[in-house]
Structure formats: structure tokens, C-alpha cells
Amino acid sequence: MPGDRPERFGKALACGADAVVVDLEDAVAPVRKAVARDAVVAFLDRGHRRPVYVRINPLGSGGEEDLTALRGTRVSGVRLPKCERPAQVAEAARILPGVPLVPLLETALGIEHAHALATGHAMVSGLAFGEADLAAELGTGHREVLDSAAHRVLLAAAAARLPRPPLSVFPAVRDLDGLAADCVRGRERGFFGRSVVHPAQVAVANAAFTPAAGEVDAARRLVESVERAGADGSGAWLDGNGNLVDAAALRQARAVLDTARDAP
């Protein structure tokens, strides 16, 4: 949600998204940056039931002022755009201590430093991938090229024991069928959730990442069978259909149940 449109903040909170990101960067014109910053601080001071993150401007281009303004607010976390070096994360944590940070990897150098950024500071709570800026830098929006970069972010997050990253924004706001298909494709590749830019996209993304009833039932049966057997899930065995079940399968089943439990 653009930070200089406070009349829309309430609509964002009510649209069914798990979290709201208020933007001080690309969605705000340069002459409106100060207005947006003041509006966001006032909004955060009221407190909200859903997490509210703020995407600040890049450090060196207004980000320091944004972080300073956020001190003492109820911000849930800060997204650091065009993040490329662990020193940038450390500087953000110094200016705004104790607040979760999410580096946005949307440049070639940021992708190259993905694992260093994921592990560069204790307040890093996750990674996010930005396709649009990277495509502009590379001079191509070819799907295979962007997928390769996205997978680097996915692997870096997993190696750092961070949550699975969300998919980048799907820019064709009216193409809900295309959004649904892309969400399914992203979920199959290991991503979880999606950044969206319009309320109409929220329900589509929620549906795509919410486990289907059959998937939940299968996961519940697996977990219950282990519990009935009094096993700890550390070994491997064949189920009634002759499929190998091991600790990894049990972890996946429990993750499915956790996701279903948290679904909107």
C-alpha cells in the first residue's frame, strides 16, 4: 500500500491478507516522501491486529530517515529494498534495533550475496525476492532467468533456517487466472505465500497456498499413525500402500497441518 495514501490503509487491513506492507519506496513520488513517512508513523502509532511491515527507501537514499522515524512505533518489521551487503542489514539494525528485518533481493549483487544476507544479522527474519528490478537490471524478463535467481533466494533462506520466501508481485492485476496458475507453480517449486498489490489478488493467493482437504487428511493420517505406534518418527518404514515414510515425510505432514491451521 503506498505510504502517502492513508485513506487506503484501513482497506488493506480488511482485505484478508496475513500482513500489510506500507511502502515508502517505489510507490511514493520523491516529493511525497516526507508526507508518506508522517502518515505511516501516525498509522503505526494506533496499533493493529494484523502485522504491518514498512518497505523503506534504500539506505543512502532516504532509508536512514525512514528507520529513524520508525523508532518507537509498533512496526512489525522492515523490508530493506535493493539490499546487497550484510553491512546494510547491520546498519538498519543499528538505527532501528530490535525490529525484524527482511532483505529484498532484487539486484544481481543481492542475489549473489543471498546467503550472506540471510545470515548477516540475528534480526533477519526472512528473505524476499523482487523480480521487476532484477529484470530491468538484466535486460530480460525471461522466465528461466528469473526462476534461477528466485531459486538462489529459496536455497539461501533454507540454508539459513529462515521461513520459505514468498513469491514476488504478479503485476497483471486483472489476470486472476494467470495469478492462480503462477501461485500453484510457485508453491510446487517451494515458495510460500505471495506479495500482492491489489485486494482482488488476496483471495486467489490464499486459496493457492492453503492445503486442499485431501492433502490435510493425508497429513493427519500420517501423523496420527506415528503417534498411535508410539514412534518418534526418526526411522523409516513402508505405509499400507507400500510408500516409504521417513522423518522428512513426517516433517512435511506436520507443516501441512500447521499451514491449514493458520489458513484464513
Side-chain angles (χ1 to χ4, degrees):
M1 193 60 56
D4 62 342
R5 299 299 299 272
E7 74 278 6
R8 295 184 179 180
F9 294 171
K11 295 179 181 178
L13 287 170
C15 73
D18 294 300
V20 170
V21 180
V22 186
D23 189 26
L24 295 175
E25 194 208 10
D26 288 344
V28 178
V31 296
R32 299 277 294 172
K33 297 290 186 180
V35 170
R37 190 181 297 129
D38 291 344
V40 170
V41 169
F43 176 63
L44 291 169
D45 282 343
R46 296 196 293 271
H48 304 283
R49 290 180 298 172
R50 292 188 185 274
V52 178
Y53 288 73
V54 175
R55 181 170 76 166
I56 64 168
N57 289 284
L59 295 180
S61 299
E64 290 86 353
E65 292 86 343
D66 295 338
L67 291 167
T68 299
L70 292 172
R71 288 176 181 167
T73 67
R74 303 179 191 182
V75 64
S76 302
V78 170
R79 293 163 70 90
L80 306 174
K82 300 174 179 64
C83 201
E84 297 181 331
R85 296 178 176 84
Q88 294 170 309
V89 180
E91 178 65 4
R94 184 191 68 78
I95 298 173
L96 186 63
V99 174
L101 303 172
V102 180
L104 298 178
L105 310 189
E106 41 194 351
T107 67
L109 186 57
I111 299 297
E112 284 298 305
H113 291 168
H115 186 257
L117 290 167
T119 58
H121 197 279
M123 290 312 298
V124 173
S125 63
L127 298 178
F129 173 57
E131 287 189 353
D133 285 289
L134 181 63
E137 180 182 2
L138 298 179
T140 178
H142 196 286
R143 189 70 267 158
E144 290 184 9
V145 174
L146 296 179
D147 281 352
S148 177
H151 293 155
R152 292 280 298 274
V153 179
L154 179 70
L155 290 170
R161 301 294 187 267
L162 294 174
R164 288 184 288 159
L167 292 170
S168 186
V169 165
F170 190 81
V173 172
R174 290 187 171 87
D175 184 9
L176 298 183
D177 290 339
L179 170 65
D182 197 66
C183 285
V184 170
R185 179 175 175 271
R187 182 184 174 190
E188 291 172 347
R189 287 158 50 222
F191 294 87
F192 185 75
R194 170 153 236 153
S195 297
V196 301
V197 294
H198 192 278
Q201 296 179 310
V202 173
V204 177
N206 281 342
F209 289 98
T210 299
E215 189 179 357
V216 175
D217 288 342
R220 184 176 292 112
R221 287 196 301 270
L222 174 57
V223 172
E224 289 176 350
S225 69
V226 173
E227 292 174 348
R228 282 196 304 269
D232 60 6
S234 59
W237 63 95
L238 295 177
D239 66 11
N241 297 317
N243 298 313
L244 179 67
V245 178
D246 57 11
L250 186 59
R251 285 198 300 272
Q252 281 190 309
R254 286 175 171 151
V256 167
L257 295 179
D258 288 342
T259 301
R261 192 178 300 116
D262 294 337

